[in-house]
Amino acid sequence: MAANGRLIAGSHNRNEFVLINADEVARVTFVKELSGQICQICGDEIEVVENGEPFVACNECAFPVCRPCYEYERREGNQACPQCKTRYKRLKGSPRVEGDEEEDDTDDLENEFDITSNDRRDPQNIAEAVLSARLNTGRGYQAKVTTPSEVDSASVAGDIPLLTYGQEDVGISSDKHALIIPPFMGRGARVHPMAFPDSSMTYIAVTVPPRPMDPKKDLAVYGYGTVAWKERMEEWKKKQNEKLQVVKHQGGNSDGNNDGDALDDPDLPMMDEGRQPLSRKLPIPSSKINPYRIVIIIRLAILGLFFHYRLLHPVHDAYWLWLISVICEIWFAISWIFDQLPKWYPIVRETYLDRLSLRYEKEGKPSELADIDIFVSTVDPMKEPPLITANTVLSILAVDYPVDKVACYVSDDGAAMLTFEALSETSEFARKWVPFCKKFSIEPRAPEWYFAQKVDYLKHKVDPTFVRERRAVKREYEEFKVRINGLVAMAQKVPEDGWTMQDGTPWPGNNVRDHPGMIQVFLGHNGVRDIEGNELPRLVYVSREKRPGFDHHKKAGAMNALIRVSAIISNAPYLLNVDCDHYINNSKALREAMCFMMDPTSGKKICYVQFPQRFDGIDRNDRYSNRNVVFFDINMKGLDGIQGPIYVGTGCVFRRQALYGYDAPIKKKPPRKTCNCFPKWCCCCCKSRRKSKKVKSNEKKKTKETLKQIHALENIEEGIEGVDNEKALMSQIKFEKKFGQSPVFIASTLMEDGGVPKGASSASLLKEAIHVISCGYEDKTEWGKEVGWIYGSVTEDILTGFKMHCHGWRSVYCIPKRPAFKGSAPINLSDRLHQVLRWALGSVEIFFSRHCPLWYGFGCGLKPLERFSYINSVVYPLTSIPLIAYCTLPAICLLTGKFIVPAISNYASIVFMAMFLSIAVTSILEMQWGGVGIHDWWRNEQFWVIGGVSSHLFALIQGLLKVLAGVNTNFTVTSKAADDGEFFELYLFKWTSLLIPPLFLLIVNIIGVIIGVADAISNGYDSWGPLFGRLFFALWVIIHLYPFLKGFMGKQDRIPTIIVVWSILLASIFSLLWARVNPFESRGGVVLEVCGLDCN
């Protein structure tokens, strides 16, 4: 197998990199060799300081200068950096020269970058200093960073006002104050430093002093309330009315021209559509939701009457059957309550993509949309075909979003060369596929599903160019499929010595459990372009390091490795994760998510935007409820009205800061009105005054602390917008304990808006990227505990979303008209049951962990109804035991002639009928406001029973074994659908132990029905009345298990021979046992004897 491109493999612990398929022969180099630099003055090599980093003379631009040249420049030269003209500061080991600053605390270079020095730097300077020092080395030009550099206040002239934050300092004279608005006080106007063009680089601050006003004087003295003031107000109103005439979309005048200054005016009224909210809530109409809530309340009342009757009327001759049935019914009622309450406030949402474009994509200006890193995870290319993964990647690269703001990271946790080769072929085909998609705006942008659409592609496409290019691209795709399938066929037989690369180097991942970390950038900025010369999104292959003896935490660990790698390479503020079989079906899906994330009013508190899962390749009847419509269209809408939907593992856009374990921003409440209606001695007023005094004292303390920090910061300029001061003031030890020992990654966590220095050297980036995916990086950190995807369960998605909600964040459920993502689902019965088994096992693991929502997270930001939903999501496997018991009771009742309910009175009949009627009405109203069809609802009910008596039971047993005996279970990757014919997998029979419980229930209930009917026939008319209740009970179980019976029988047009043989054998055995035992022989009363008379 030949691989094209350049692969970088390495191990941080072993201090080595392997460059494969480079221009020269593959070689092993040490980390320090990648950091070598040459002095730009004398040409000598720059020395390495004690901490292993190259010597840095200028902390502002990191211009490469060796120590002797630095010493000479400070002693004999102009004492400034040759590039940025910033005055050199004294470094450790250098003699002091005239003009150096006073050093009160330290003269150590290491502490120059110490994040614990709270009195020296703000969040912006922390991130900038670390990133510049670690990355911007070896450059002969000034590195461009996303934030401005520091301003040295020591170089400010004596007659220039000093910048303060709206407060006066006793140590600064009043004539040196300049009032500015601090970054944390909102998006106000700031005072920006202006640099003179001379070599001294003196900075001044243009300030407007605040106008003092005496409250004792009349406002007219200052111009307010006078005739001139009224005229100015009228003029302002007229101007505002003129601004209202601005058209909502692209132009205001008939000729299409518009005044750009009017659009950029911050005072433009909210009538301009570009400044309107980007989304809105649409509550369910009251005509639908109010009857639903009324029925729920009535059902709760009926439920109370039902249990009142059941508990007060036991069945004495079948006491154990009655007791078991009552216990099961109580558990079902509790489960229903936990499932029902979170549906009390269902909502839907609507987005405005045109407003998003008007706000962030102004004509003639660069796009201001936020960057997005997209994660695709895969493990085994044999179970997850590379062609499916390739289609997912192609749909991502062709998404309708600025190409420079999209980066796709593919995690190959199996280190398979087949996946690497397939991705290399995909990057080459993307050069033709992406421009075709964007040129003709086709949907979907996954070629396999686009070309498989059974539509007339010539309809509404009269352009002959489209027809010609479509046919050409389809031929290219067919050739691409042939190459991918050829790679799959070649990978079936692994060579004895393992796979080798094109240059003869062994593939680093030949040993799946012991290999270095690997990174390959296939596409990206200034890299390969498409056939039309346009830039393509970045495409990065990542395979994290694996070594024996380390716990790699399966998918959650792979996702956390992608978080760190992406933070080093692109550091987008938002992340999207999809499974390898979930392609982007709606090219505007990212824009849909940004309507929530980038909304200036409500976006800051949103941790993720969850999209519903939709599937391709499911049979028409959806036999095993793969679509799961009830959950995605009813339950998730209900959660969206509380604190947001749960995270379901794929199709979710995250805020990176929320994944870092930070709390949600707290919205400040307006101050309460003071009470003036009672005397001062009133106790209520006293309490309120005490509280207000405490609040004021706390505010004064905070203000003093803030002022101390501000005045201690000698270099003040614009900070990184949105960076919380609490994060910046954490000590370096706490940062390393939380995020690991990577200064570059730690600095990236402080930048809420993302971004990395554009001038960063690739060598330093590769060093840090390999470092953060090493197998021991997470040791003694909070990764998997409080940061990133949370460990401890195979269903890491529920746990991760739960932790975010506990931090006070809220999530959003987005349902576009065109489904955002589509994937494949296991339509085979055995595969489907194994999938449900894995989900249920994860819930059981959470239930027995410290993160169980029954006792975790109280007193935090989790709302009560949201907690109910999480409780329901982890306790539902426990329902398997009462469900199996309840499904066995009908057969026992039919075989023994007993029943769980005594003779029914008129009152009992009314209660039972009201109970069944309330259940039916509740379901009908749910389907009505949720937009769910009765077929989907019924399939969901059927598979709830099938999965409950099989997968949930085994998950509970395995979970108990893991907790009590320490027996671990292997993670099974669900096989993705392959192109073996339409619904081929549906009729494929695969035996598994999960089939035993439902098969047992089905057989015993069928036998019970047969025996019950035969007994009624033999006993006469009077026995049919009591039989109806038992038959209804048994038929309820059989009808719910009917899809299982069809799946067990295989194809619809024939019954397997083995089923026929076993059916005849079992029927014969039970018939003989029935005739032999004769269970209906009377055991009491009058003993009947054989008549002695001969009637003949």
Side-chain angles (χ1 to χ4, degrees), residues 165 170 209 246 269 394 410 423 473 526 593 702 709 786 834 870 1092:
Y165 279 69
V170 295
V246 179
L394 288 170
V410 180
L423 210 58
V473 171
N526 301 322
K702 291 181 180 179
Q709 297 164 6
E786 298 292 336
H834 276 291
Y870 276 109

Side-chain angles (χ1 to χ4, degrees), residues 265-369:
D265 190 351
D267 295 329
L268 188 66
M270 288 296 293
M271 291 299 293
D272 177 18
E273 190 171 351
R275 301 175 191 272
Q276 292 287 334
L278 304 179
S279 63
R280 66 165 179 166
K281 296 179 183 179
L282 295 176
I284 305 298
S286 57
S287 59
K288 295 181 179 179
I289 194 62
N290 287 341
Y292 175 70
R293 292 169 177 168
I294 293 172
V295 171
I296 290 177
I297 295 174
I298 295 175
R299 183 173 172 180
L300 287 171
I302 296 173
L303 198 62
L305 296 176
F306 173 80
F307 283 115
H308 178 268
Y309 173 81
R310 293 284 283 133
L311 292 173
L312 296 181
H313 295 80
V315 182
H316 298 286
D317 58 345
Y319 184 81
W320 286 106
L321 295 179
W322 168 83
L323 182 61
I324 292 174
S325 66
V326 169
I327 294 174
C328 294
E329 289 164 358
I330 292 174
W331 178 260
F332 295 151
I334 295 174
S335 300
W336 172 77
I337 291 174
F338 277 113
D339 180 68
Q340 193 65 57
L341 289 181
K343 303 175 187 176
W344 191 260
Y345 300 103
I347 62 170
V348 292
R349 296 180 185 269
E350 186 179 44
T351 57
Y352 302 99
L353 300 181
D354 52 347
R355 294 179 183 176
L356 181 74
S357 298
L358 285 172
R359 183 183 291 269
Y360 296 108
E361 291 182 305
K362 297 179 181 179
E363 188 176 357
K365 296 182 179 180
S367 174
E368 297 178 4
L369 291 174

Side-chain angles (χ1 to χ4, degrees), residues 60 74 79 86-90 96-104 106-107 112 120 151-156 712 714-715:
E60 299 297 331
R74 279 173 45 82
Q79 303 179 359
T86 303
R87 177 183 171 84
Y88 278 139
K89 296 182 179 180
R90 192 188 74 83
R96 182 177 296 278
V97 298
E98 184 179 357
D100 281 345
E101 300 175 7
E102 290 296 328
E103 299 173 3
D104 298 329
T106 178
D107 60 351
E112 184 71 21
R120 294 186 62 86
V151 181
D152 191 355
S153 63
S155 63
V156 179
E714 297 177 347
N715 303 318

Side-chain angles (χ1 to χ4, degrees), residues 198-256:
D198 58 359
S199 59
S200 62
M201 295 297 290
T202 306
Y203 294 85
I204 66 171
V206 181
T207 63
V208 178
R211 187 180 186 183
M213 295 178 63
D214 189 352
K216 297 180 180 180
K217 294 184 179 181
D218 188 7
L219 291 177
V221 176
Y222 302 98
Y224 297 102
T226 61
V227 177
W229 176 78
K230 293 181 180 179
E231 291 178 354
R232 288 198 301 270
M233 286 297 300
E234 292 296 333
E235 185 179 354
W236 179 83
K237 290 180 180 179
K238 183 179 178 181
K239 185 179 178 181
Q240 292 295 94
N241 291 331
E242 291 176 355
K243 290 178 180 178
L244 290 177
Q245 303 303 322
V246 179
V247 288
K248 294 183 179 180
H249 294 289
Q250 290 296 334
N253 303 327
S254 58
D255 57 356

